[in-house]
Amino acid sequence: MTDSDEQVRQFEQVGAVTFDGPFPPAQIQAVSDLVARLDAEKKLGGYADYFVEPLLVDVIQHPFFEEAAKRFLHAPEVEFVNWAARQKGAQPGQVFALDGEHVDVSYHRLSLESVPRRMLVSFWLWLTDVTIDRGPFMFRPGSHRQIAEHWGDDGAHAENPLMSNQLPALAYAEPVPVLAKAGQVSALTTATVHSGSVNTGTQPRRAMVINYQPRGHEVRFNMIDAAKRVAHLRELRAAMRPERRRLIPLKGNVLK
């Protein structure tokens, strides 16, 4: 990260920022090929994925994401939350369009202003180039802050997903794409109003998503099966290198 202060500002104010990642092209290609196979086997889907593959574990436990999460969340310690891998298949000849705007986790004002931030940071590791004709992630810049200001300090609205018909009627910016090269990383907050988009080109778009939160602050996931997630975290922690297992903390002998 060449200018971390400016990148943190963009993440906080705009909702997304893209920068170079630490992985060599051969590793990116290997992970991309694995994601393609898993997609063909219909093993990917939903908000999170729950299997363990060595290539994926190597990415998840890389120190780059931990250090970046500390900066974006203003946190001395952070912890891994969950991960997912995605492939957006090509649909040549189709018309470009958004694919269902929504908010995954909304926050109230205090969440975005506290130190550490009481929110998630989502790292999207791009496994292929992302161009406008390759189904980019689309988001409305600054919409997470607009919604947070709308909620004020009312915690009843915090950490809930919002479907398109539940979004506050605010003067949002026009949606813009997140474009990137293979191997780059985008730090996003899915508290923005965002969506996928139609891949109008001839090549698939692939990505791996890794979520972090401040250590000790559990962001609610209304859409996640808690028991399944805990079982997966145990398996994933066991597959990590011993010095990296602290990314998934234990409380006594019980996983959080």
Side-chain angles (χ1 to χ4, degrees):
M1 297 176 70
T2 57
D3 186 353
S4 60
D5 289 344
E6 175 58 20
Q7 289 164 353
V8 169
R9 188 198 69 78
Q10 287 190 47
F11 170 74
E12 293 187 338
Q13 299 300 318
V14 178
V17 61
T18 299
F19 41 86
D20 292 338
F23 303 102
Q27 186 175 6
I28 292 294
Q29 186 61 58
V31 176
S32 180
D33 292 344
L34 173 59
V35 170
R37 176 173 66 80
L38 294 171
D39 182 76
E41 296 171 354
K42 301 188 183 305
K43 292 182 178 179
L44 304 178
Y47 189 78
D49 288 314
Y50 298 102
F51 50 89
V52 174
E53 291 273 357
L55 277 174
L56 302 176
V57 175
D58 283 346
V59 173
I60 290 168
Q61 68 183 341
H62 197 288
F64 174 86
F65 296 111
E66 179 187 16
E67 294 307 311
K70 289 178 182 178
R71 288 194 289 271
F72 287 117
L73 297 174
H74 300 266
E77 294 185 86
V78 294
E79 58 192 67
F80 169 83
V81 177
N82 67 337
W83 72 276
R86 294 291 173 264
Q87 174 168 297
K88 189 77 172 183
Q91 295 180 283
Q94 295 296 310
V95 176
F96 181 84
L98 302 186
D99 185 16
E101 287 192 301
H102 63 283
V103 166
D104 287 329
V105 189
S106 63
Y107 302 106
H108 60 81
R109 186 166 53 205
L110 291 176
S111 298
L112 301 182
E113 295 176 353
S114 65
V115 179
R117 304 294 191 253
R118 298 200 297 268
M119 63 183 295
L120 297 179
V121 57
S122 295
F123 296 111
W124 288 60
L125 172 62
W126 301 108
L127 304 174
T128 60
D129 290 350
V130 187
T131 53
I132 194 64
D133 65 346
R134 213 166 181 176
F137 179 102
M138 304 289 295
F139 77 106
R140 294 182 183 264
S143 53
H144 61 306
R145 302 198 73 86
Q146 290 175 277
I147 293 172
E149 287 295 327
H150 177 76
W151 297 147
D153 298 334
D154 184 357
H157 295 286
E159 300 180 10
N160 292 314
L162 299 171
M163 299 299 102
S164 58
N165 62 347
Q166 299 171 313
L167 294 170
L170 303 173
Y172 301 115
E174 289 298 308
V176 299
V178 174
L179 306 179
K181 295 289 187 182
Q184 288 190 306
V185 174
S186 295
L188 308 174
T189 172
T190 56
T192 59
V193 178
H194 67 277
S195 74
S197 65
V198 176
N199 183 341
T200 62
T202 60
Q203 299 296 321
R205 184 265 283 163
R206 301 188 190 107
M208 188 172 174
V209 186
I210 300 170
N211 291 321
Y212 270 85
Q213 65 190 7
R215 177 67 62 93
H217 175 67
E218 189 78 11
V219 177
R220 289 202 312 265
F221 289 99
N222 295 349
M223 67 291 285
I224 287 181
D225 183 321
K228 189 174 182 180
R229 176 176 175 245
V230 169
H232 172 66
L233 288 176
R234 286 185 179 278
E235 183 182 10
L236 183 61
R237 189 179 192 276
M240 288 179 169
R241 297 191 302 273
E243 73 275 14
R244 301 304 292 157
R245 290 174 184 165
R246 58 186 171 76
L247 295 177
I248 302 176
L250 297 173
K251 188 175 182 179
N253 293 321
V254 181
L255 196 68
K256 284 184 57 183

